[in-house]
Amino acid sequence: MAGRRAQSRVPAGHSGRDRRRVRRRLLRARAAGESRRFCNLAAFCVLPDFRADSLRLIRALLRQPGFDFTDLSPSGNVVALDERLGFVHLDTATRIAPNLPAFGRRAVRVSSDPALVAATLRGADAVTYRDHRDAPASRHIVVIEDGAYAYLIVRRDRRKGLPLFATPIHAGGDTGLLRRHWARVGAHLLVRHRLPLTLAERRTLGFRPRLGVDQRSPRPKMFRSRDLEAGDIDYLYSELTLLEW
């Protein structure tokens, strides 16, 4: 989740009594050079008869000692509730970039082939791939040039009911290589994954594609921590890797 190096999962799951319910994910991650425990609030569902207890339920979760908290897909009035509870916004500035046909040097290879991805990645990137290769919403791409590589995980997203958008959720390896050959990556997303547009979030990629239009109201993502900063938070091991919507 944070620091882009998750070591192990902590078993998840929490149910309030009666019909109150919170789904959560817990994991142990590397952030700011140390091992941290995260609670990701993936869903918060309370039936009308129990709304009076909803705030008590969420506060009980937030009182867990030793955890940092994320909410990576808040919507509606949950955003204002998170703000009241001390969550802060991540910078989700996003450019909607077209994925166009492109050609380039033969020495540059862009591939989603699982065997090539697994053979290419090293160190922390290999661990990330091992942990996410079967995550249903995660699509893994490598860009290879002269022995160097960039690693990208994207998901398919819908906007206005149209499943036409690639959303990068992790960038690893040599991200400068990713930036230099972004046109080739876009062409790969178009041809191989049938995704004509990319929702390119700058904090994930580390850059903005040259072509595109900045999104007016990108979807919020939030976190709460006593000492971690926004740069310590990423989207691995979350519902963004597991669920398409």
Side-chain angles (χ1 to χ4, degrees), residues 161-224:
L162 301 175
L164 304 177
F165 298 84
T167 300
I169 52 179
H170 175 72
D174 182 352
T175 54
L177 184 65
L178 186 67
R179 180 173 188 165
R180 290 194 300 275
H181 299 295
W182 182 255
R184 294 282 300 276
V185 175
H188 179 82
L189 290 169
L190 175 66
V191 174
R192 178 70 173 79
H193 298 276
R194 301 293 190 266
L195 297 172
L197 298 163
T198 293
L199 297 173
E201 188 180 289
R202 183 168 54 186
R203 74 178 303 270
T204 299
L205 293 177
F207 64 91
R208 293 188 301 177
R210 184 172 58 86
L211 298 177
V213 177
D214 292 337
Q215 195 173 17
R216 288 186 179 182
S217 300
R219 294 189 175 180
K221 299 180 179 73
M222 307 176 75
F223 78 105
R224 174 176 138 155

Side-chain angles (χ1 to χ4, degrees), residues 111-165:
S111 178
S112 298
D113 178 68
L116 181 60
V117 173
T120 299
L121 301 179
R122 300 184 292 273
D125 292 321
V127 174
T128 297
Y129 176 66
R130 180 198 67 199
D131 290 349
H132 292 81
R133 62 189 171 193
D134 296 322
S138 300
R139 301 166 183 236
H140 305 269
I141 300 168
V142 289
V143 183
I144 305 169
E145 181 184 34
D146 298 332
Y149 73 83
Y151 173 38
L152 185 68
I153 303 177
V154 303
R155 53 178 279 118
R156 179 193 295 270
D157 268 323
R158 292 176 180 266
R159 293 294 185 270
K160 298 187 182 300
L162 301 175
L164 304 177
F165 298 84

Side-chain angles (χ1 to χ4, degrees), residues 101-113:
F103 302 94
R105 295 176 54 203
R106 287 189 175 183
V108 178
R109 188 172 184 182
V110 182
S111 178
S112 298
D113 178 68

